[in-house]
Amino acid sequence: MILIGLTGSLATGKSTVSRMLSSPPNSLPIIDADLLARAVVEPGTYGYRQILSHFLPTTPDLLLPHDDDLEISRQGWGKGKGRAINRAALGRRVFGNEPERKRDRGVLNGIIHPLVRLAMMKAIVYYHFLGYWAVVLDIPLLYESGLDIFCSVVVMVAVSDPVIQMKRLRERDKGLSEQEARDRVGRQMGVEEKVERTRARGVGSGKVVENDAGMEDLRIEVNRVLKEIRNESGSKLWGWWLWGVRGGRRLWGLGRFIRVGRRGGGGKRRGRVRGRGCEGGRV
């Protein structure tokens, strides 16, 4: 099975491409890292308890208001599932360039990233046994989080002109000023750098989808890339294509993936996590 890492930048059209890949006639399963990042910190989960243990004592508004108080026991953050995390308050705690915020951001990422990777691994195995020829890992910060090393192929959705990106972003997020839009884009790795890294993977392992025109042109681009991936995939042997292994570097990466997942995956397991990633909780 082939692992297709799907990434992009703000307002380049990654979500649209993801919907195309999951819809007929393609009907590929999507593992959405953003949704998984939310799922692993839902009330009652191991990630939730870890975040509360570290951040709640010094973040009074960490939890959203709820009628039911969070049960507290000697063993930690009790038997009840508890109130949902106030993501805005947590974001204020970890975003910024001050040393303490950088430190807290590292703690948060250390909680969430291993759990998301473990959930992704479970979903990949699940879809493999269902017989899919490929699965899509929808990860906005694919390169930033280092998860590209686990992908057989990376598909980068790009626009060639920054003006197009800014225009689409401001049309999508009404009320953004031009400066605010530039600030948001500037906080991520640039489109050009992502395109360069994708192409540097080689013809068979890196594909760039140009999204400068309309929806029909984008659909043609997506179909072209999928056809190339199928034609170039070769064998579907588990050991190589499932994990995207290409040589010793990928084998080392797989070992790191498993070790990190084990360190972060403690606590009671609740079965399969399926979804369609982080600074501050995003992968």
Side-chain angles (χ1 to χ4, degrees), residues 8 10 39 47 53 75 78 85 95 98 120 123 125 129 143 148-149 158 160 203 214 221 231 237 252 254 266 274:
L10 284 172
S53 175
Q75 289 72 32
I85 291 173
F95 283 121
E98 297 86 350
M120 288 170 58
V125 173
F129 282 111
Y143 288 118
D148 57 297
I149 68 170
S160 60
V203 175
E221 273 284 282
N231 290 339
L237 290 176
W252 172 84
L254 173 59
R274 295 173 58 193

Side-chain angles (χ1 to χ4, degrees), residues 13 22 35 39 49 65 68 79-80 84 96-97 101 131 169 172-173 175 188 196 263 283:
S22 64
L35 294 185
R49 294 193 297 273
D68 299 325
K79 300 177 181 178
N97 295 319
R101 281 181 164 75
L169 178 58
R172 188 190 72 183
D173 298 348
Q188 292 190 4
E196 183 178 343
R263 287 201 300 269
V283 177

